[in-house]
Amino acid sequence: MRVYFDYNATTPLAPDVTEAVVRATRDVFGNASSVHHFGQQAKAAMDDARSAVAALVNGDPSEIVFTSGGTESDNFAIRGAADALEPTGRRHLIASAVEHEAVLNTLRSLARKGWRTTLLPVDHTGIVSVDRLREAITGDTAVVSVMHANNEIGTIQPIADIAAIAHEHGALMHTDAVQTVGKIPVDVRALGADLLSLSAHKFNGPKGAGVLWIKRGTRMQPIVTGGKHERNRRAGTENVPAIAGLGVAAQLAAGKLSGEGARIAALRDRLEAGILGGIAGTAVNGAVDARVPNTTNISFERVEAESLLIALDLEGIAVSTGSACSSGTLEPSHVLRAMGLPTHRTQSSLRFSLGMFSTAEEVDRVVEVLPRLVEKLRGLTRKTVTA
Ligand SMILES: Cc1ncc(COP(=O)(O)O)c(C=O)c1O
């Protein structure tokens, strides 16, 4: 039995999505910019996807810009807004310390070009300090970028409050909703955002397809320049099969958000209770209530996370030590560090993230296997220490 509990890294395609991608790859090969039948067929497939994504986030189809995924959407949001606002004299960017690298490294890149940047601290549950935002923001701030939910711990941020403060100072509000779209209801109007990033492969869609939602009237410069695609906002012949898959994934997500969220939350809670109850020296990292339903991040005292991850993989169980980008290195998670966790705890934490195909049997298998592996690794640590 193989268990995949790494849905925050990526998800398998929903069967209907596979169908849509295959069908579009085979039958809809036209260039969506062409005026003839084949082009119009491709354009129609994109229009359907645009409407489906807009409906999922309560946006307007005209506000949807297709991109190559979450990373490009985050880059576009920040660089595009920075370029558009620079002539107004604004030269300051704010983000939280727990953002994905797609945001953090974009800020670092702009800092090298002379932009002032501020990273907001978070509390021990990973929630951004709204007071520190009030202190940091000025009339010079162009963009405030705070993620809707964190990929490592699942903590949900108070985006509407943050957006209100950003707007009081004339700044744009961007939220990276890559880990919430398709998992919990996301309403761009209720969040009060100007820019929102999402990525298809995080909710059973194909890789390499994403969206930047841009509120109508928002000043933006394109970062991919060329032809007049996407209303002059993102050049390049569109990846119609992936976009069609994204549309179907959005439709599926919209149709079963509430029921599926509750089912997955119940599985996650069963997993969490099983681990905390069955293994001494374990604790959950991050907020327990303000959290997406599919994620739990747990530290295992006196266990090196990488060793436990490998031991689990040998048992056919796939989990993660945090963001996919930082796995494979022993760098402690910047998210857990920003939460003030001591080093021994940042290095002993695993992320379990569930999804569409997760079952109670899989949860029970993990709960059954883990105590033995943890016991073994703790035994090895004891021996190393006494040797
Ligand atoms: C919060 C967050 N933002 C952005 C990304 C990047 O998305 P993509 O893989 O589509 O480039 C990820 C993916 O790990 C993510 O979790």
Side-chain angles (χ1 to χ4, degrees), residues 8-9 69-71 74 100 102 147 149 151 176 178-179 199 201-202:
N8 283 9
T71 299
D74 286 347
H100 189 271
M147 68 204 317
N151 43 307
D176 172 342
V178 165
Q179 292 291 346
S199 177
H201 77 100
K202 305 291 186 178

PDB file of all heavy atoms in Angstrom, residues 8-9 69-71 74 100 102 147 149 151 176 178-179 199 201-202, ligand 1:
ATOM      1  N   ASN A   8       0.248  19.199  -0.506  1.00  0.00           N
ATOM      2  CA  ASN A   8       0.611  20.619  -0.599  1.00  0.00           C
ATOM      3  C   ASN A   8       1.775  20.827  -1.568  1.00  0.00           C
ATOM      4  O   ASN A   8       1.982  21.926  -2.063  1.00  0.00           O
ATOM      5  CB  ASN A   8       0.978  21.180   0.783  1.00  0.00           C
ATOM      6  CG  ASN A   8      -0.252  21.442   1.626  1.00  0.00           C
ATOM      7  OD1 ASN A   8      -1.351  21.050   1.257  1.00  0.00           O
ATOM      8  ND2 ASN A   8      -0.082  22.088   2.770  1.00  0.00           N
ATOM      9  N   ALA A   9       2.535  19.752  -1.828  1.00  0.00           N
ATOM     10  CA  ALA A   9       3.606  19.853  -2.832  1.00  0.00           C
ATOM     11  C   ALA A   9       2.985  19.807  -4.220  1.00  0.00           C
ATOM     12  O   ALA A   9       3.260  20.658  -5.068  1.00  0.00           O
ATOM     13  CB  ALA A   9       4.603  18.714  -2.665  1.00  0.00           C
ATOM     14  N   GLY A  69       1.794  29.292 -13.672  1.00  0.00           N
ATOM     15  CA  GLY A  69       1.671  28.689 -12.348  1.00  0.00           C
ATOM     16  C   GLY A  69       1.815  29.702 -11.236  1.00  0.00           C
ATOM     17  O   GLY A  69       1.860  30.923 -11.477  1.00  0.00           O
ATOM     18  N   GLY A  70       1.882  29.180 -10.014  1.00  0.00           N
ATOM     19  CA  GLY A  70       1.912  30.039  -8.828  1.00  0.00           C
ATOM     20  C   GLY A  70       3.138  30.942  -8.795  1.00  0.00           C
ATOM     21  O   GLY A  70       3.050  32.125  -8.435  1.00  0.00           O
ATOM     22  N   THR A  71       4.282  30.404  -9.181  1.00  0.00           N
ATOM     23  CA  THR A  71       5.521  31.194  -9.119  1.00  0.00           C
ATOM     24  C   THR A  71       5.429  32.394 -10.052  1.00  0.00           C
ATOM     25  O   THR A  71       5.739  33.531  -9.660  1.00  0.00           O
ATOM     26  CB  THR A  71       6.724  30.303  -9.494  1.00  0.00           C
ATOM     27  OG1 THR A  71       6.782  29.229  -8.541  1.00  0.00           O
ATOM     28  CG2 THR A  71       8.020  31.081  -9.481  1.00  0.00           C
ATOM     29  N   ASP A  74       2.966  35.005  -8.658  1.00  0.00           N
ATOM     30  CA  ASP A  74       3.544  35.809  -7.562  1.00  0.00           C
ATOM     31  C   ASP A  74       4.530  36.838  -8.112  1.00  0.00           C
ATOM     32  O   ASP A  74       4.535  38.001  -7.701  1.00  0.00           O
ATOM     33  CB  ASP A  74       4.261  34.898  -6.555  1.00  0.00           C
ATOM     34  CG  ASP A  74       3.275  34.122  -5.684  1.00  0.00           C
ATOM     35  OD1 ASP A  74       2.073  34.456  -5.683  1.00  0.00           O
ATOM     36  OD2 ASP A  74       3.709  33.178  -4.991  1.00  0.00           O
ATOM     37  N   HIS A 100       6.099  32.117   0.553  1.00  0.00           N
ATOM     38  CA  HIS A 100       6.788  31.165  -0.326  1.00  0.00           C
ATOM     39  C   HIS A 100       7.984  31.871  -0.975  1.00  0.00           C
ATOM     40  O   HIS A 100       7.968  33.104  -1.146  1.00  0.00           O
ATOM     41  CB  HIS A 100       5.800  30.693  -1.396  1.00  0.00           C
ATOM     42  CG  HIS A 100       6.307  29.566  -2.236  1.00  0.00           C
ATOM     43  ND1 HIS A 100       7.027  29.771  -3.392  1.00  0.00           N
ATOM     44  CD2 HIS A 100       6.221  28.222  -2.081  1.00  0.00           C
ATOM     45  CE1 HIS A 100       7.346  28.596  -3.920  1.00  0.00           C
ATOM     46  NE2 HIS A 100       6.868  27.642  -3.139  1.00  0.00           N
ATOM     47  N   ALA A 102       8.714  32.153  -3.915  1.00  0.00           N
ATOM     48  CA  ALA A 102       8.300  32.899  -5.117  1.00  0.00           C
ATOM     49  C   ALA A 102       8.074  34.375  -4.783  1.00  0.00           C
ATOM     50  O   ALA A 102       8.311  35.252  -5.618  1.00  0.00           O
ATOM     51  CB  ALA A 102       7.027  32.289  -5.710  1.00  0.00           C
ATOM     52  N   MET A 147       0.435  35.902   2.178  1.00  0.00           N
ATOM     53  CA  MET A 147      -0.210  34.693   1.649  1.00  0.00           C
ATOM     54  C   MET A 147      -1.515  34.389   2.390  1.00  0.00           C
ATOM     55  O   MET A 147      -1.646  34.692   3.581  1.00  0.00           O
ATOM     56  CB  MET A 147       0.739  33.500   1.723  1.00  0.00           C
ATOM     57  CG  MET A 147       1.054  33.037   3.120  1.00  0.00           C
ATOM     58  SD  MET A 147       2.641  32.145   3.265  1.00  0.00           S
ATOM     59  CE  MET A 147       2.687  31.074   1.884  1.00  0.00           C
ATOM     60  N   ALA A 149      -2.891  31.217   2.896  1.00  0.00           N
ATOM     61  CA  ALA A 149      -2.532  30.171   3.870  1.00  0.00           C
ATOM     62  C   ALA A 149      -1.121  29.702   3.573  1.00  0.00           C
ATOM     63  O   ALA A 149      -0.684  29.690   2.413  1.00  0.00           O
ATOM     64  CB  ALA A 149      -3.496  28.999   3.801  1.00  0.00           C
ATOM     65  N   ASN A 151       1.993  27.180   3.098  1.00  0.00           N
ATOM     66  CA  ASN A 151       2.155  25.840   2.539  1.00  0.00           C
ATOM     67  C   ASN A 151       2.725  24.829   3.531  1.00  0.00           C
ATOM     68  O   ASN A 151       2.467  23.642   3.421  1.00  0.00           O
ATOM     69  CB  ASN A 151       3.044  25.893   1.288  1.00  0.00           C
ATOM     70  CG  ASN A 151       4.248  26.795   1.446  1.00  0.00           C
ATOM     71  OD1 ASN A 151       4.117  27.960   1.815  1.00  0.00           O
ATOM     72  ND2 ASN A 151       5.415  26.264   1.180  1.00  0.00           N
ATOM     73  N   ASP A 176      -1.104  35.468  -2.011  1.00  0.00           N
ATOM     74  CA  ASP A 176      -0.755  34.201  -2.643  1.00  0.00           C
ATOM     75  C   ASP A 176      -1.738  33.169  -2.068  1.00  0.00           C
ATOM     76  O   ASP A 176      -1.604  32.738  -0.914  1.00  0.00           O
ATOM     77  CB  ASP A 176       0.697  33.878  -2.286  1.00  0.00           C
ATOM     78  CG  ASP A 176       1.125  32.490  -2.725  1.00  0.00           C
ATOM     79  OD1 ASP A 176       0.251  31.649  -2.998  1.00  0.00           O
ATOM     80  OD2 ASP A 176       2.343  32.242  -2.767  1.00  0.00           O
ATOM     81  N   VAL A 178      -2.318  30.196  -3.331  1.00  0.00           N
ATOM     82  CA  VAL A 178      -1.998  28.906  -3.952  1.00  0.00           C
ATOM     83  C   VAL A 178      -2.417  27.734  -3.055  1.00  0.00           C
ATOM     84  O   VAL A 178      -2.831  26.690  -3.541  1.00  0.00           O
ATOM     85  CB  VAL A 178      -0.484  28.860  -4.298  1.00  0.00           C
ATOM     86  CG1 VAL A 178      -0.011  27.454  -4.610  1.00  0.00           C
ATOM     87  CG2 VAL A 178      -0.188  29.788  -5.470  1.00  0.00           C
ATOM     88  N   GLN A 179      -2.333  27.925  -1.735  1.00  0.00           N
ATOM     89  CA  GLN A 179      -2.674  26.810  -0.834  1.00  0.00           C
ATOM     90  C   GLN A 179      -4.103  26.878  -0.311  1.00  0.00           C
ATOM     91  O   GLN A 179      -4.479  26.044   0.530  1.00  0.00           O
ATOM     92  CB  GLN A 179      -1.686  26.753   0.338  1.00  0.00           C
ATOM     93  CG  GLN A 179      -0.274  26.366  -0.081  1.00  0.00           C
ATOM     94  CD  GLN A 179      -0.154  24.907  -0.556  1.00  0.00           C
ATOM     95  OE1 GLN A 179      -1.048  24.083  -0.352  1.00  0.00           O
ATOM     96  NE2 GLN A 179       0.959  24.576  -1.185  1.00  0.00           N
ATOM     97  N   SER A 199      -2.734  28.324  -8.374  1.00  0.00           N
ATOM     98  CA  SER A 199      -1.984  27.365  -9.188  1.00  0.00           C
ATOM     99  C   SER A 199      -2.777  26.073  -9.329  1.00  0.00           C
ATOM    100  O   SER A 199      -3.203  25.487  -8.329  1.00  0.00           O
ATOM    101  CB  SER A 199      -0.642  27.088  -8.509  1.00  0.00           C
ATOM    102  OG  SER A 199       0.075  26.117  -9.229  1.00  0.00           O
ATOM    103  N   HIS A 201      -2.051  22.944 -10.135  1.00  0.00           N
ATOM    104  CA  HIS A 201      -1.596  21.626  -9.674  1.00  0.00           C
ATOM    105  C   HIS A 201      -1.756  21.411  -8.176  1.00  0.00           C
ATOM    106  O   HIS A 201      -1.523  20.322  -7.674  1.00  0.00           O
ATOM    107  CB  HIS A 201      -0.154  21.336 -10.137  1.00  0.00           C
ATOM    108  CG  HIS A 201       0.933  22.020  -9.368  1.00  0.00           C
ATOM    109  ND1 HIS A 201       1.657  21.377  -8.395  1.00  0.00           N
ATOM    110  CD2 HIS A 201       1.443  23.280  -9.440  1.00  0.00           C
ATOM    111  CE1 HIS A 201       2.580  22.203  -7.905  1.00  0.00           C
ATOM    112  NE2 HIS A 201       2.465  23.361  -8.523  1.00  0.00           N
ATOM    113  N   LYS A 202      -2.190  22.457  -7.471  1.00  0.00           N
ATOM    114  CA  LYS A 202      -2.439  22.291  -6.038  1.00  0.00           C
ATOM    115  C   LYS A 202      -3.874  21.837  -5.779  1.00  0.00           C
ATOM    116  O   LYS A 202      -4.230  21.518  -4.660  1.00  0.00           O
ATOM    117  CB  LYS A 202      -2.168  23.591  -5.291  1.00  0.00           C
ATOM    118  CG  LYS A 202      -0.784  24.175  -5.514  1.00  0.00           C
ATOM    119  CD  LYS A 202       0.324  23.353  -4.886  1.00  0.00           C
ATOM    120  CE  LYS A 202       1.660  24.080  -5.034  1.00  0.00           C
ATOM    121  NZ  LYS A 202       2.768  23.378  -4.407  1.00  0.00           N
TER     122      LYS A 202
HETATM  123  C1  LIG B   1       2.197  29.140  -1.206  1.00  0.00           C
HETATM  124  C2  LIG B   1       2.791  28.803  -2.527  1.00  0.00           C
HETATM  125  N1  LIG B   1       3.019  29.783  -3.412  1.00  0.00           N
HETATM  126  C3  LIG B   1       3.535  29.535  -4.624  1.00  0.00           C
HETATM  127  C4  LIG B   1       3.864  28.261  -5.013  1.00  0.00           C
HETATM  128  C5  LIG B   1       4.436  28.043  -6.380  1.00  0.00           C
HETATM  129  O1  LIG B   1       3.471  27.498  -7.239  1.00  0.00           O
HETATM  130  P1  LIG B   1       3.907  26.723  -8.586  1.00  0.00           P
HETATM  131  O2  LIG B   1       4.441  25.405  -8.136  1.00  0.00           O
HETATM  132  O3  LIG B   1       2.645  26.590  -9.362  1.00  0.00           O
HETATM  133  O4  LIG B   1       4.921  27.566  -9.268  1.00  0.00           O
HETATM  134  C6  LIG B   1       3.649  27.204  -4.129  1.00  0.00           C
HETATM  135  C7  LIG B   1       4.031  25.818  -4.504  1.00  0.00           C
HETATM  136  O5  LIG B   1       4.721  25.129  -3.759  1.00  0.00           O
HETATM  137  C8  LIG B   1       3.084  27.473  -2.856  1.00  0.00           C
HETATM  138  O6  LIG B   1       2.852  26.508  -1.983  1.00  0.00           O
END
